[in-house]
Amino acid sequence: MKSISEKIVAALPVPATGNKKHFFSGATLQGKKAPSGFAVRVTAAGTKSFVLFHRINGKGYLETLGRWDENPQGGTLSVRDAIIKADKLAKDIKNGRREDARPERTRRLQDGDKPAGLKIGGAWKNGENKDEQAAPGLLDMFMERYVRKDAKGGAGLRSADQIESTFERLVFPEIGGLGIYDIRRSHIVAMLDEIADENGPVMADRTLAYIRKTFNWYALRDDQFNSPIVKGMARTNGKDRARKRTLADDEIRDLWAALERIEEPACYPAYIKTTLLCMSRRTEGAMMSSAELDGDVWTIPAERYKTGVDHVIPLSAAARELIAAMPAPEVRKNDYFIFSTTDGAVPFSGFSKAKVELDKALSAIRKEAGREPMENWTLHDLRRTGRSLMSRAKVDADHAERCMGHVIGGVRETYDRHLYLEEKREAFEALAAMVDSILNAPRSAAVAA
């Protein structure tokens, strides 16, 4: 084991130019052990000082502890006192007892006169409710000002609760205690590594998107703040992970047959069929209410539609028949949820449980027919399937995109204000006719498909 003493320090050679560091990690003196990174720095002028090399998030810093008290120029630390000071500093840094673990001189050089005080987390508390006594932080400001207020033209984001939950569960525990000028790329990368390991790469990318938006939003309000997020931090490739699954004709027939075996919830078969015929998203169809229906038109209001504008769907005869078959409640006749297990009071929401039962029925049907199990599918695959069937039915691509609620961009979006209601009506009827032809295909054709 390396030794250190007043005599050893006194004998350290003086370099011709610059300075030289002599490391004594693990050396002991009178029962005190020097921590890793402890060294004596000797300058060309003969001055000897004690220093500690340590790392913060992978970046190395050399921190001066003080001059040796036997220097001709004077000093404040004996060798033993320097070891004690270095050991305490190393433990404080390791256990997070120093609010800013960087050396003071380094902090001044890196931060200059940047304002201090605003934390990433602020009033957030790991795994608990917010600390109402704490000063608001960046996450609080972003949630209150943008997510729940300014976004979507003042309507706020429908995903507000999801964003807040992500901040509370995944962001605050990792970077919530950092100041906005202390946050580094390494902090973000370490946080994403943790999320990817525990919750998967897709969740890591979703969290990254929320944090990127938060930092960009704040950068517009603070001339001195720069977002630490850079390209290449994402854990997945969006194009690679995009689903392309559509249901084949035999799978559509099996799906309809399986729905005939579903007894509970009673609204589920009509809900699934309507989802395909209207190419709607899962919650859009589940939250269909009588107030949104006007004759043969279903209007999904802007506040609950992804694009933030009303989406008008002319209902095909097949879709209208399914909706009309849903029993109207004795009360709330003018405003009730069409697909409901509570007499129209609340929308259907038991997606997972119902999907499990549907998959069991599908499996049984295919097993009875001696066919392979059906490939994994999701309700959103029905939307993609509907769009593909419209193409098969020779529906104009622009009309089909409008039926899905997609925005036609560019100059046309700005100047073409036509609603295309009749064109969309024809497109949805074409989709219904295509589904009907698949369901009623002759046996030979069905087997070939």
Side-chain angles (χ1 to χ4, degrees), residues 142-421:
F142 179 69
M143 285 299 307
E144 180 179 354
R145 182 72 189 179
Y146 177 78
V147 175
R148 298 193 182 278
K149 186 177 180 181
D150 290 348
K152 295 290 184 182
L157 297 179
R158 292 184 294 122
S159 56
D161 290 342
Q162 177 179 317
I163 295 172
E164 186 169 37
S165 175
T166 301
F167 283 165
E168 185 173 22
R169 293 182 301 106
L170 304 177
V171 178
F172 179 85
E174 298 298 323
I175 63 173
L178 295 172
I180 60 171
Y181 301 108
D182 300 327
I183 190 75
R184 300 286 184 266
R185 287 195 298 271
S186 57
H187 296 135
I188 302 298
V189 171
M191 178 183 72
L192 295 176
D193 285 343
E194 185 75 19
I195 296 172
D197 290 344
E198 297 294 328
N199 301 274
V202 174
M203 189 68 228
D205 281 359
R206 186 176 302 161
T207 304
L208 175 63
Y210 295 157
I211 289 296
R212 178 189 288 113
K213 181 63 179 179
T214 303
F215 288 160
N216 290 344
W217 173 83
Y218 186 72
L220 295 174
R221 291 159 173 76
D222 187 335
D223 293 335
Q224 299 188 61
F225 177 73
N226 293 305
S227 173
I229 295 177
V230 296
K231 289 183 178 180
M233 286 186 169
R235 303 311 164 95
T236 63
N237 184 305
K239 292 182 179 180
D240 290 344
R241 72 168 186 263
R243 282 183 65 87
K244 299 178 176 64
R245 175 88 161 93
T246 59
L247 272 63
D249 289 3
D250 68 308
E251 293 176 325
I252 294 174
R253 286 188 288 270
D254 289 343
L255 175 61
W256 249 245
L259 289 170
E260 295 301 318
R261 301 188 182 189
I262 300 294
E263 296 183 358
E264 294 293 336
C267 67
Y268 193 62
Y271 161 69
I272 292 294
K273 294 176 181 179
T274 304
T275 297
L276 174 58
L277 293 173
C278 294
M279 300 193 300
S280 53
R281 297 179 179 86
R282 187 178 77 168
T283 55
E284 292 167 1
M287 296 183 68
M288 179 193 292
S289 71
S290 58
E292 295 175 356
L293 300 174
D294 184 10
D296 69 344
V297 173
W298 171 29
T299 302
I300 306 177
E303 57 266 24
R304 71 179 192 87
Y305 197 69
K306 186 174 182 179
T307 62
V309 297
D310 291 350
H311 178 42
V312 180
I313 300 177
L315 297 167
S316 63
R320 295 199 302 273
E321 183 178 345
L322 290 167
I323 294 170
M326 293 293 96
E330 293 298 323
V331 295
R332 297 183 301 277
K333 289 189 175 182
N334 295 323
D335 189 7
Y336 62 91
F337 292 103
I338 303 298
F339 304 112
S340 173
T341 58
T342 56
D343 202 29
V346 296
F348 170 71
S349 61
F351 303 107
S352 298
K353 184 177 179 180
K355 177 67 162 48
V356 169
E357 295 303 313
L358 177 57
D359 284 339
K360 287 180 180 178
L362 277 166
S363 179
I365 288 172
R366 295 178 77 89
K367 185 176 181 179
E368 292 164 6
R371 289 181 283 129
E372 292 293 322
M374 187 166 164
E375 181 187 343
N376 180 55
W377 68 287
T378 69
L379 296 190
H380 197 75
D381 294 337
L382 297 177
R383 177 172 162 84
R384 196 177 300 106
T385 300
R387 175 64 181 84
S388 298
L389 292 177
M390 277 194 176
S391 292
R392 279 175 60 181
K394 308 301 182 184
V395 172
D396 179 85
D398 281 358
H399 299 336
E401 290 300 301
R402 291 186 176 95
C403 287
M404 295 192 77
H406 291 167
V407 175
I408 307 298
V411 175
R412 294 165 62 192
E413 177 188 357
T414 303
Y415 292 101
D416 188 353
R417 314 312 291 177
H418 180 53
L419 295 178
Y420 291 91
L421 194 62

Side-chain angles (χ1 to χ4, degrees), residues 426-444:
E426 292 178 5
F428 279 113
E429 288 293 355
L431 169 59
M434 180 61 68
V435 172
D436 184 68
S437 69
I438 291 171
L439 296 175
N440 294 290
R443 177 174 294 275
S444 59

